[in-house]
Amino acid sequence: MGDRFEGKVALITGAGSGIGRAVTLRLLDEGASVLAVDVDAAGLEDTAGFGALAHGDGELATAIADLSDPDACVTAVHTAVGRFGRLDVLGNVAGILVAAHATDVTREQYRKLMAINLDAPFFLSQAAIPHLLQSEGNIVNIASNAGLQGVPYVVAYCMSKGGVVQLTRALATEYLKTPLRVNAIAPAGTRTNIAATAAFPADLDAELAGRMVGHRGMTEPEEVAALFAYLASDEARSVTGAIYTIDNGLTAS
Ligand code: NAD
């Protein structure tokens, strides 16, 4: 593994599972120090266990936080900077899925999903930007194919991920005259726990629901982490405002 993140500091949300864990381990392996944030304490502990085997010279710290609270987002940024003295990369990875007929989504489900998937990346970015401007750093958001196309039975999820796409473009544009870069990755079916936590309606239309499924199998979280590491590294210094799909051709077809 390379050393592209030697001396750099990253804050990664959703680090207790799936893509966030894979990103955390990849950046650690490439020399970063990482503040791994998640609401799931047991998941973070497992990530820390894997992190202890990483090859880089950086350190892993963990913070348990419910990022649906904007104050917790601000605190997470302060914790990263307080612990490591700087911030180079913000990875907005944490997310949840609500699967239901559009008319069955409760207000509570809707508000919670928006708070985690869309509000948190905004408030984390707000708090992180002054530090990222200082370090000439960058933000990588995890959007989704559902932010680029309509997908049935996940209307609020689609709305939130469309918002993440526009958050990415708007911030990238606002900071075009600075070194700060803001990009997003739009994965499709990736082998993580997210789908396991969302029960799709029993009476769904299988033909429509097939839009969620690609023709070339599932993506592994480590593949998304490799793309993340590229975008967050200096090798991508000309890349900003980009939405990189990693979806086996789903959104192209
Ligand atoms: P995952 O369920 O394995 O991981 C999500 C993590 O987010 C979990 O550790 C969870 O505890 C954490 N989280 C949830 N609510 C939180 C909160 N309030 N505060 C802090 N952390 C919280 O799922 P994943 O697939 O790794 O998801 C990562 C991102 O990838 C999400 O934004 C998801 O929407 C996106 N994504 C996933 C897929 C896929 O097929 N897995 C496809 C496209 C996009």
Side-chain angles (χ1 to χ4, degrees):
M1 206 65 53
D3 57 358
R4 291 181 292 185
F5 296 95
E6 203 75 65
K8 307 235 174 189
V9 174
L11 190 174
I12 306 298
T13 73
S17 177
I19 294 169
R21 174 181 291 162
V23 167
T24 298
L25 298 178
R26 175 75 190 227
L27 297 187
L28 273 174
D29 260 335
E30 292 205 40
S33 289
V34 181
L35 179 69
V37 183
D38 205 292
V39 73
D40 174 9
L44 274 182
E45 237 175 79
D46 288 347
T47 300
F50 292 119
L53 307 172
H55 297 298
D57 291 332
E59 275 178 70
L60 174 63
T62 58
I64 302 162
D66 179 352
L67 298 171
S68 64
D69 173 3
D71 290 336
C73 296
V74 175
T75 301
V77 171
H78 288 168
T79 303
V81 175
R83 171 73 192 254
F84 296 118
R86 58 186 288 143
L87 185 65
D88 299 277
V89 178
L90 169 63
N92 285 312
V93 186
I96 62 167
L97 184 69
V98 171
H101 290 286
T103 47
D104 291 340
V105 177
T106 66
R107 286 184 188 179
E108 195 186 21
Q109 285 176 316
Y110 176 86
R111 293 280 173 225
K112 183 177 174 193
L113 184 143
M114 286 296 173
I116 296 168
N117 289 14
L118 184 56
D119 298 358
F122 174 71
F123 290 119
L124 281 154
S125 298
Q126 261 195 335
I129 282 169
H131 303 288
L132 296 172
L133 286 171
Q134 233 175 339
S135 64
E136 307 197 350
N138 68 89
I139 299 172
V140 180
N141 296 316
I142 303 296
S144 168
N145 65 297
L148 300 172
Q149 62 181 165
V151 180
Y153 311 119
V154 290
V155 60
Y157 184 77
C158 277
M159 293 166 67
S160 72
K161 293 301 184 177
V164 169
V165 167
Q166 285 301 81
L167 170 66
T168 303
R169 291 178 175 145
L171 281 183
T173 305
E174 186 163 334
Y175 289 93
L176 273 181
K177 292 187 174 178
T178 79
L180 173 66
R181 300 183 297 108
V182 187
N183 293 294
I185 297 173
T190 306
R191 207 184 308 278
T192 71
N193 294 325
I194 199 165
T197 60
F200 279 80
D203 60 343
L204 58 71
D205 181 318
E207 195 184 330
L208 290 178
R211 288 196 65 111
M212 287 288 271
V213 184
H215 297 287
R216 301 173 81 246
M218 298 287 279
T219 299
E220 299 299 331
E222 291 74 19
E223 297 175 68
V224 182
L227 178 54
F228 185 112
Y230 162 69
L231 288 172
S233 78
D234 291 342
E235 284 185 273
R237 67 183 177 282
S238 302
V239 183
T240 192
I243 315 298
Y244 272 61
T245 59
I246 176 165
D247 66 1
N248 278 304
L250 189 64
T251 50
S253 58

